[in-house]
Amino acid sequence: MARVYNFSAGPSMLPESVLKTAQSELLDYAGSGQSVMEMSHRSSVYDAIITETQAALRRVLDIPENYKVGFFQGGASTQFAMVPMNLMTTGEADYLVTGNFSKKAAEEAEKFGKVNIVASSKDKNFTYIPDVDAIEYSKNASYIHICENNTIFGTRFTKLPQVEGIPLVADMSSCILSRPTDVSKYGAIYFGVQKNVAPAGMAIAIIREDLLGHAAANVPTMLDYKTIIDNDSMYNTPPCWCIYMTGLVLNYIEKEIGGLAKMEELNNAKAKLLYDYLDESAFFQNPVEKEFRSIMNVTFTSPDADLDKLFCKEAEKEGFINLKGHRLVGGMRASIYNAMPREGVEQLVAFMKEFERKHG
Ligand SMILES: *Cc1c(COP(=O)(O)O)cnc(C)c1O
Protein backbone atom coordinates (compact mmCIF):
# COMPACT_ATOMS: atom_id res chain seq x y z
CA MET A 1 0.00 0.00 0.00
CA ALA A 2 1.41 3.35 -1.02
CA ARG A 3 0.64 6.32 1.19
CA VAL A 4 0.00 9.62 -0.61
CA TYR A 5 1.41 13.02 0.21
CA ASN A 6 -1.66 14.79 1.54
CA PHE A 7 -1.48 18.58 1.25
CA SER A 8 -4.92 19.10 2.78
CA ALA A 9 -5.48 22.17 4.96
CA GLY A 10 -7.17 19.95 7.54
CA PRO A 11 -7.79 17.28 8.55
CA SER A 12 -4.25 16.62 7.47
CA MET A 13 -1.34 14.23 7.66
CA LEU A 14 -0.27 12.68 10.94
CA PRO A 15 3.29 11.42 11.48
CA GLU A 16 3.54 7.85 10.21
CA SER A 17 5.24 6.68 13.38
CA VAL A 18 2.27 8.01 15.40
CA LEU A 19 -0.19 6.12 13.22
CA LYS A 20 1.87 2.96 13.67
CA THR A 21 1.93 3.33 17.44
CA ALA A 22 -1.85 3.87 17.44
CA GLN A 23 -2.20 0.79 15.27
CA SER A 24 -0.03 -1.34 17.53
CA GLU A 25 -2.02 -0.24 20.57
CA LEU A 26 -5.42 -0.33 18.89
CA LEU A 27 -6.75 -3.61 20.27
CA ASP A 28 -4.93 -3.70 23.57
CA TYR A 29 -3.73 -0.46 25.09
CA ALA A 30 -0.83 -1.00 27.52
CA GLY A 31 -1.99 -4.45 28.56
CA SER A 32 -5.46 -3.20 29.54
CA GLY A 33 -7.09 -5.66 27.12
CA GLN A 34 -9.11 -2.87 25.47
CA SER A 35 -8.81 -0.06 22.95
CA VAL A 36 -8.55 3.58 24.05
CA MET A 37 -11.78 4.00 22.03
CA GLU A 38 -13.59 1.65 24.37
CA MET A 39 -12.30 2.38 27.83
CA SER A 40 -14.06 4.35 30.55
CA HIS A 41 -12.88 7.93 30.70
CA ARG A 42 -12.99 7.55 34.50
CA SER A 43 -10.64 4.56 34.53
CA SER A 44 -7.14 4.87 35.96
CA VAL A 45 -5.64 3.77 32.64
CA TYR A 46 -7.40 6.66 30.83
CA ASP A 47 -6.61 9.08 33.61
CA ALA A 48 -2.91 8.43 33.00
CA ILE A 49 -3.39 9.22 29.29
CA ILE A 50 -5.16 12.57 29.76
CA THR A 51 -2.88 13.64 32.62
CA GLU A 52 0.28 12.87 30.64
CA THR A 53 -1.11 14.52 27.48
CA GLN A 54 -1.76 17.74 29.34
CA ALA A 55 1.65 17.59 31.02
CA ALA A 56 3.33 16.96 27.65
CA LEU A 57 1.58 19.98 26.10
CA ARG A 58 2.79 22.11 29.00
CA ARG A 59 6.37 20.85 28.52
CA VAL A 60 6.46 21.16 24.73
CA LEU A 61 4.94 24.67 24.64
CA ASP A 62 6.65 25.66 27.90
CA ILE A 63 3.34 26.94 29.27
CA PRO A 64 3.82 29.15 32.35
CA GLU A 65 2.31 28.09 35.71
CA ASN A 66 -0.37 30.77 35.63
CA TYR A 67 -2.03 29.40 32.49
CA LYS A 68 -4.68 26.66 32.42
CA VAL A 69 -5.24 24.14 29.64
CA GLY A 70 -8.55 22.61 28.57
CA PHE A 71 -9.74 20.12 25.94
CA PHE A 72 -12.98 21.24 24.26
CA GLN A 73 -15.41 19.82 21.74
CA GLY A 74 -16.86 21.79 18.85
CA GLY A 75 -13.62 22.67 17.05
CA ALA A 76 -12.14 26.12 16.67
CA SER A 77 -15.47 27.47 15.42
CA THR A 78 -17.07 26.93 18.83
CA GLN A 79 -14.16 28.86 20.33
CA PHE A 80 -15.25 31.82 18.18
CA ALA A 81 -18.28 32.01 20.52
CA MET A 82 -16.63 30.85 23.74
CA VAL A 83 -14.01 33.61 23.59
CA PRO A 84 -16.53 36.49 23.75
CA MET A 85 -18.88 34.57 26.09
CA ASN A 86 -16.09 34.16 28.60
CA LEU A 87 -13.68 36.99 28.00
CA MET A 88 -15.69 39.99 26.72
CA THR A 89 -16.14 41.40 30.20
CA THR A 90 -16.29 45.07 29.18
CA GLY A 91 -18.88 44.46 26.46
CA GLU A 92 -16.45 45.13 23.64
CA ALA A 93 -13.36 43.68 21.98
CA ASP A 94 -10.95 44.51 19.15
CA TYR A 95 -10.62 42.19 16.17
CA LEU A 96 -8.05 42.21 13.38
CA VAL A 97 -9.55 40.79 10.21
CA THR A 98 -6.82 39.16 8.13
CA GLY A 99 -8.76 36.37 6.46
CA ASN A 100 -11.84 34.23 6.49
CA PHE A 101 -11.49 32.71 9.95
CA SER A 102 -10.81 36.00 11.71
CA LYS A 103 -13.85 37.43 9.90
CA LYS A 104 -15.97 34.56 11.15
CA ALA A 105 -14.61 34.98 14.68
CA ALA A 106 -15.51 38.70 14.60
CA GLU A 107 -19.00 38.02 13.26
CA GLU A 108 -19.64 35.47 15.99
CA ALA A 109 -18.38 37.86 18.67
CA GLU A 110 -20.86 40.50 17.49
CA LYS A 111 -23.61 38.33 18.96
CA PHE A 112 -22.19 39.00 22.41
CA GLY A 113 -21.12 42.63 22.36
CA LYS A 114 -19.46 45.42 20.43
CA VAL A 115 -16.80 44.33 18.00
CA ASN A 116 -14.28 46.90 16.80
CA ILE A 117 -12.60 45.88 13.54
CA VAL A 118 -9.44 47.85 14.25
CA ALA A 119 -7.55 46.59 11.19
CA SER A 120 -8.21 44.59 8.04
CA SER A 121 -6.18 43.44 5.06
CA LYS A 122 -9.23 42.94 2.87
CA ASP A 123 -8.16 45.85 0.60
CA LYS A 124 -5.48 43.60 -0.92
CA ASN A 125 -7.40 40.34 -0.69
CA PHE A 126 -5.70 39.38 2.59
CA THR A 127 -2.23 39.06 1.05
CA TYR A 128 -0.54 40.90 3.93
CA ILE A 129 -0.80 41.55 7.68
CA PRO A 130 -1.47 45.12 8.86
CA ASP A 131 1.26 46.85 10.92
CA VAL A 132 0.20 45.96 14.46
CA ASP A 133 2.05 48.94 15.93
CA ALA A 134 0.15 51.45 13.78
CA ILE A 135 -3.28 50.28 14.96
CA GLU A 136 -5.38 52.37 17.30
CA TYR A 137 -6.73 49.87 19.81
CA SER A 138 -9.87 50.64 21.84
CA LYS A 139 -9.26 51.70 25.42
CA ASN A 140 -12.27 49.73 26.60
CA ALA A 141 -11.51 46.49 24.71
CA SER A 142 -11.62 43.33 26.85
CA TYR A 143 -9.13 41.69 24.50
CA ILE A 144 -7.53 41.93 21.06
CA HIS A 145 -8.24 38.97 18.78
CA ILE A 146 -6.06 37.75 15.94
CA CYS A 147 -5.86 34.69 13.73
CA GLU A 148 -2.12 34.14 13.82
CA ASN A 149 -1.78 31.99 10.71
CA ASN A 150 -4.34 32.49 7.95
CA THR A 151 -4.91 29.00 6.64
CA ILE A 152 -6.80 30.02 3.50
CA PHE A 153 -4.72 33.01 2.39
CA GLY A 154 -1.31 31.68 3.42
CA THR A 155 -0.20 34.58 5.63
CA ARG A 156 1.04 34.79 9.19
CA PHE A 157 1.71 37.44 11.81
CA THR A 158 5.42 38.12 12.23
CA LYS A 159 4.78 40.54 15.11
CA LEU A 160 2.07 40.38 17.77
CA PRO A 161 -0.14 43.20 19.05
CA GLN A 162 1.06 43.91 22.58
CA VAL A 163 -1.02 46.45 24.48
CA GLU A 164 -0.49 47.04 28.18
CA GLY A 165 -3.50 45.78 30.11
CA ILE A 166 -5.37 44.30 27.11
CA PRO A 167 -4.87 40.55 26.65
CA LEU A 168 -4.15 39.13 23.22
CA VAL A 169 -6.35 36.22 22.15
CA ALA A 170 -5.10 34.14 19.22
CA ASP A 171 -6.61 31.49 16.99
CA MET A 172 -3.55 29.32 16.34
CA SER A 173 -5.36 26.41 14.67
CA SER A 174 -3.00 26.17 11.72
CA CYS A 175 0.32 27.11 13.32
CA ILE A 176 0.33 25.70 16.84
CA LEU A 177 3.34 23.47 17.59
CA SER A 178 5.01 24.53 14.33
CA ARG A 179 7.59 26.57 16.26
CA PRO A 180 8.28 27.76 19.80
CA THR A 181 5.60 30.11 21.17
CA ASP A 182 6.05 32.57 24.02
CA VAL A 183 2.73 31.84 25.74
CA SER A 184 3.22 34.73 28.18
CA LYS A 185 2.53 37.20 25.32
CA TYR A 186 -1.07 35.98 25.13
CA GLY A 187 -4.10 36.11 27.38
CA ALA A 188 -5.51 33.08 25.61
CA ILE A 189 -4.60 30.76 22.74
CA TYR A 190 -6.99 28.32 21.10
CA PHE A 191 -6.75 25.89 18.23
CA GLY A 192 -8.68 23.15 16.49
CA VAL A 193 -6.44 20.09 16.56
CA GLN A 194 -7.01 18.71 13.06
CA LYS A 195 -4.29 20.77 11.34
CA ASN A 196 -1.16 20.11 13.31
CA VAL A 197 -2.01 18.00 16.33
CA ALA A 198 -4.52 15.17 16.06
CA PRO A 199 -7.56 13.86 14.21
CA ALA A 200 -10.60 16.20 14.00
CA GLY A 201 -12.99 16.58 16.89
CA MET A 202 -11.40 18.80 19.49
CA ALA A 203 -10.06 22.23 20.28
CA ILE A 204 -7.51 23.07 22.95
CA ALA A 205 -7.48 26.39 24.80
CA ILE A 206 -4.68 27.79 26.94
CA ILE A 207 -5.93 30.62 29.15
CA ARG A 208 -4.30 32.92 31.66
CA GLU A 209 -5.72 32.16 35.09
CA ASP A 210 -6.91 35.67 35.95
CA LEU A 211 -9.11 35.77 32.83
CA LEU A 212 -11.15 32.78 33.96
CA GLY A 213 -14.34 32.89 35.98
CA HIS A 214 -15.85 36.06 34.55
CA ALA A 215 -18.44 34.50 32.23
CA ALA A 216 -21.98 35.82 32.54
CA ALA A 217 -24.42 33.72 34.59
CA ASN A 218 -26.42 32.70 31.51
CA VAL A 219 -23.44 31.16 29.70
CA PRO A 220 -24.23 27.45 29.19
CA THR A 221 -22.30 25.17 31.52
CA MET A 222 -20.43 23.43 28.71
CA LEU A 223 -19.44 26.76 27.12
CA ASP A 224 -17.94 28.19 30.28
CA TYR A 225 -14.16 27.72 30.16
CA LYS A 226 -14.13 27.32 33.91
CA THR A 227 -16.40 24.25 33.87
CA ILE A 228 -14.04 22.28 31.68
CA ILE A 229 -10.84 23.59 33.23
CA ASP A 230 -11.91 23.18 36.87
CA ASN A 231 -12.80 19.57 36.08
CA ASP A 232 -9.52 18.74 34.30
CA SER A 233 -11.45 18.43 31.00
CA MET A 234 -13.54 15.66 32.60
CA TYR A 235 -16.78 17.49 33.39
CA ASN A 236 -18.44 15.22 30.86
CA THR A 237 -17.02 12.54 28.54
CA PRO A 238 -14.08 14.20 26.80
CA PRO A 239 -12.96 13.43 23.21
CA CYS A 240 -10.95 10.48 24.57
CA TRP A 241 -9.41 9.25 21.34
CA CYS A 242 -8.39 12.74 20.20
CA ILE A 243 -6.67 13.38 23.51
CA TYR A 244 -4.81 10.08 23.23
CA MET A 245 -3.66 10.94 19.68
CA THR A 246 -2.60 14.41 20.85
CA GLY A 247 -0.42 12.67 23.42
CA LEU A 248 1.22 10.51 20.76
CA VAL A 249 1.92 13.53 18.55
CA LEU A 250 3.43 15.45 21.46
CA ASN A 251 5.61 12.45 22.27
CA TYR A 252 6.74 12.43 18.62
CA ILE A 253 7.64 16.15 18.80
CA GLU A 254 9.56 15.68 22.04
CA LYS A 255 11.32 12.39 21.39
CA GLU A 256 11.62 12.03 17.62
CA ILE A 257 11.94 15.65 16.51
CA GLY A 258 13.59 17.01 19.64
CA GLY A 259 11.23 19.88 20.49
CA LEU A 260 9.74 22.94 18.86
CA ALA A 261 12.97 24.77 18.01
CA LYS A 262 13.98 21.79 15.89
CA MET A 263 10.43 21.53 14.50
CA GLU A 264 10.65 25.16 13.37
CA GLU A 265 13.97 24.55 11.63
CA LEU A 266 12.47 21.64 9.69
CA ASN A 267 9.34 23.63 8.84
CA ASN A 268 11.32 26.68 7.69
CA ALA A 269 13.47 24.50 5.47
CA LYS A 270 10.42 22.81 3.91
CA ALA A 271 8.68 26.14 3.25
CA LYS A 272 11.88 27.60 1.78
CA LEU A 273 12.10 24.79 -0.78
CA LEU A 274 8.68 25.69 -2.08
CA TYR A 275 8.94 29.49 -1.88
CA ASP A 276 12.40 29.54 -3.47
CA TYR A 277 11.06 27.62 -6.41
CA LEU A 278 7.95 29.85 -6.65
CA ASP A 279 10.21 32.92 -6.69
CA GLU A 280 12.38 31.61 -9.52
CA SER A 281 9.46 30.23 -11.53
CA ALA A 282 8.05 32.33 -14.36
CA PHE A 283 5.02 30.05 -14.40
CA PHE A 284 3.82 29.70 -10.80
CA GLN A 285 3.18 32.72 -8.58
CA ASN A 286 2.63 33.26 -4.86
CA PRO A 287 0.57 36.41 -4.17
CA VAL A 288 1.58 36.99 -0.52
CA GLU A 289 3.88 39.82 0.59
CA LYS A 290 7.13 37.98 1.36
CA GLU A 291 7.43 39.09 4.96
CA PHE A 292 4.07 37.56 5.84
CA ARG A 293 4.35 34.23 4.06
CA SER A 294 3.00 31.33 6.09
CA ILE A 295 5.34 28.41 6.66
CA MET A 296 2.30 26.10 6.97
CA ASN A 297 0.03 27.00 4.05
CA VAL A 298 1.60 27.94 0.73
CA THR A 299 -0.72 29.34 -1.95
CA PHE A 300 0.19 29.54 -5.62
CA THR A 301 -1.33 29.91 -9.07
CA SER A 302 -0.37 28.91 -12.60
CA PRO A 303 -1.00 31.30 -15.51
CA ASP A 304 -4.72 30.40 -15.79
CA ALA A 305 -7.58 28.57 -14.14
CA ASP A 306 -7.60 25.72 -16.68
CA LEU A 307 -3.94 24.99 -15.99
CA ASP A 308 -4.65 25.12 -12.25
CA LYS A 309 -7.26 22.44 -12.75
CA LEU A 310 -4.99 20.32 -14.90
CA PHE A 311 -2.20 20.71 -12.36
CA CYS A 312 -4.37 19.39 -9.51
CA LYS A 313 -5.60 16.51 -11.63
CA GLU A 314 -2.14 15.41 -12.71
CA ALA A 315 -0.69 15.93 -9.24
CA GLU A 316 -3.31 13.61 -7.81
CA LYS A 317 -2.33 10.88 -10.26
CA GLU A 318 1.22 11.14 -8.89
CA GLY A 319 0.09 10.84 -5.29
CA PHE A 320 0.02 14.55 -4.32
CA ILE A 321 -3.52 15.08 -3.11
CA ASN A 322 -5.69 17.99 -1.93
CA LEU A 323 -3.70 20.73 -3.65
CA LYS A 324 -6.76 22.64 -4.85
CA GLY A 325 -6.87 26.13 -3.34
CA HIS A 326 -9.76 27.32 -1.19
CA ARG A 327 -12.70 28.60 -3.22
CA LEU A 328 -12.12 32.14 -1.91
CA VAL A 329 -8.61 32.26 -3.40
CA GLY A 330 -8.59 29.80 -6.31
CA GLY A 331 -5.37 28.31 -7.63
CA MET A 332 -3.51 25.89 -5.42
CA ARG A 333 -2.54 25.57 -1.80
CA ALA A 334 0.01 23.21 -0.34
CA SER A 335 -0.49 22.79 3.39
CA ILE A 336 2.82 21.57 4.73
CA TYR A 337 2.17 21.03 8.41
CA ASN A 338 4.57 19.35 10.84
CA ALA A 339 3.75 15.84 9.61
CA MET A 340 4.46 16.54 5.92
CA PRO A 341 7.87 14.94 5.33
CA ARG A 342 10.56 17.00 3.60
CA GLU A 343 10.56 14.43 0.75
CA GLY A 344 6.89 15.27 0.13
CA VAL A 345 7.81 18.90 -0.56
CA GLU A 346 10.92 17.98 -2.55
CA GLN A 347 8.88 15.68 -4.76
CA LEU A 348 6.12 18.25 -5.15
CA VAL A 349 8.67 20.84 -6.32
CA ALA A 350 10.12 18.33 -8.79
CA PHE A 351 6.61 17.67 -10.09
CA MET A 352 5.94 21.42 -10.40
CA LYS A 353 9.17 21.93 -12.35
CA GLU A 354 8.19 19.19 -14.75
CA PHE A 355 4.69 20.67 -15.12
CA GLU A 356 6.23 24.08 -15.85
CA ARG A 357 8.55 22.55 -18.44
CA LYS A 358 5.61 20.89 -20.23
CA HIS A 359 3.12 23.75 -20.03
CA GLY A 360 5.24 26.89 -19.57
C1 LIG B 1 -9.51 25.22 10.35
C2 LIG B 1 -9.53 26.49 11.06
C3 LIG B 1 -10.64 26.90 11.82
C4 LIG B 1 -11.92 26.09 11.88
O1 LIG B 1 -11.73 24.98 12.64
P1 LIG B 1 -12.95 23.97 13.00
O2 LIG B 1 -12.29 23.07 13.97
O3 LIG B 1 -13.35 23.32 11.72
O4 LIG B 1 -14.04 24.77 13.60
C5 LIG B 1 -10.56 28.09 12.50
N1 LIG B 1 -9.45 28.85 12.44
C6 LIG B 1 -8.37 28.50 11.72
C7 LIG B 1 -7.17 29.38 11.70
C8 LIG B 1 -8.38 27.31 11.00
O5 LIG B 1 -7.31 26.97 10.27
Side-chain angles (χ1 to χ4, degrees):
M1 175 215 52
R3 280 179 51 79
V4 293
Y5 290 118
N6 179 9
F7 293 90
S8 167
S12 37
M13 290 183 84
L14 286 160
E16 198 165 303
S17 65
V18 164
L19 293 174
K20 284 188 169 143
T21 303
Q23 182 182 45
S24 75
E25 296 177 339
L26 192 67
L27 295 184
D28 176 10
Y29 177 78
S32 67
Q34 49 186 326
S35 171
V36 174
M37 290 186 211
E38 305 167 300
M39 63 182 53
S40 163
H41 61 293
R42 306 281 177 202
S43 61
S44 60
V45 58
Y46 192 75
D47 187 61
I49 292 174
I50 192 170
T51 305
E52 168 51 23
T53 300
Q54 197 186 129
L57 185 69
R58 297 194 80 99
R59 283 197 303 275
V60 169
L61 272 174
D62 197 13
I63 300 175
E65 284 285 323
N66 62 325
Y67 285 75
K68 301 284 191 191
V69 172
F71 301 119
F72 300 88
Q73 297 184 43
S77 299
T78 299
Q79 295 301 309
F80 294 167
M82 283 181 72
V83 165
M85 277 178 152
N86 285 273
L87 307 180
M88 202 193 267
T89 49
T90 63
E92 65 179 288
D94 285 358
Y95 277 72
L96 278 67
V97 174
T98 56
N100 198 47
F101 288 117
S102 47
K103 180 166 166 275
K104 281 183 162 173
E107 284 167 359
E108 190 71 357
E110 273 173 0
K111 296 182 175 174
F112 303 97
K114 183 163 169 258
V115 167
N116 312 305
I117 309 292
V118 290
S120 165
S121 51
K122 191 169 190 288
D123 58 336
K124 292 184 187 159
N125 198 30
F126 302 117
T127 51
Y128 72 104
I129 300 293
D131 177 2
V132 298
D133 293 331
I135 295 171
E136 217 174 294
Y137 299 97
S138 316
K139 289 201 170 53
N140 196 37
S142 306
Y143 59 85
I144 298 164
H145 181 280
I146 62 165
C147 176
E148 192 158 325
N149 183 80
N150 295 283
T151 323
I152 294 172
F153 295 91
T155 61
R156 64 155 171 180
F157 279 75
T158 49
K159 199 168 181 201
L160 298 172
Q162 292 288 283
V163 180
E164 180 79 35
I166 307 180
L168 175 65
V169 176
D171 175 355
M172 294 185 70
S173 296
S174 52
C175 59
I176 195 72
L177 299 178
S178 64
R179 60 195 168 90
T181 293
D182 181 354
V183 175
S184 71
K185 290 199 164 133
Y186 304 80
I189 290 170
Y190 65 88
F191 48 98
V193 294
Q194 71 274 26
K195 317 289 165 73
N196 227 0
V197 189
M202 183 169 81
I204 299 178
I206 302 164
I207 305 159
R208 215 175 64 205
E209 226 164 29
D210 61 288
L211 300 177
L212 289 166
H214 307 298
N218 64 354
V219 167
T221 309
M222 281 295 292
L223 299 182
D224 187 334
Y225 279 134
K226 211 167 148 34
T227 307
I228 306 297
I229 283 171
D230 281 354
N231 290 283
D232 296 321
S233 301
M234 284 280 206
Y235 173 76
N236 71 330
T237 319
C240 300
W241 177 257
C242 252
I243 292 168
Y244 160 73
M245 290 296 289
T246 300
L248 294 187
V249 168
L250 288 165
N251 184 63
Y252 153 88
I253 291 173
E254 272 190 304
K255 308 269 166 62
E256 270 180 65
I257 299 296
L260 291 184
K262 188 71 199 169
M263 193 82 248
E264 178 179 32
E265 247 177 66
L266 297 170
N267 285 330
N268 282 343
K270 277 190 299 186
K272 187 172 186 311
L273 279 174
L274 204 41
Y275 284 123
D276 281 354
Y277 167 60
L278 288 170
D279 286 343
E280 75 179 46
S281 169
F283 185 82
F284 293 107
Q285 308 286 326
N286 166 265
V288 172
E289 281 185 23
K290 281 186 186 172
E291 183 190 348
F292 304 113
R293 284 171 164 179
S294 168
I295 60 165
M296 295 279 99
N297 311 96
V298 180
T299 59
F300 55 97
T301 52
S302 76
D304 66 61
D306 286 340
L307 282 169
D308 288 347
K309 231 176 165 173
L310 183 68
F311 176 85
C312 293
K313 201 172 138 206
E314 297 205 341
E316 189 164 329
K317 277 193 230 151
E318 299 297 315
F320 308 109
I321 72 163
N322 292 319
L323 280 163
K324 190 171 180 294
H326 191 277
R327 61 184 190 283
L328 291 173
V329 183
M332 280 73 73
R333 170 178 50 174
S335 294
I336 50 174
Y337 298 119
N338 286 354
M340 171 60 66
R342 182 184 168 93
E343 306 82 72
V345 181
E346 284 170 351
Q347 289 182 32
L348 175 65
V349 169
F351 174 79
M352 288 167 76
K353 284 184 177 163
E354 181 58 18
F355 192 89
E356 175 171 5
R357 197 187 57 78
K358 272 199 257 171
H359 300 280

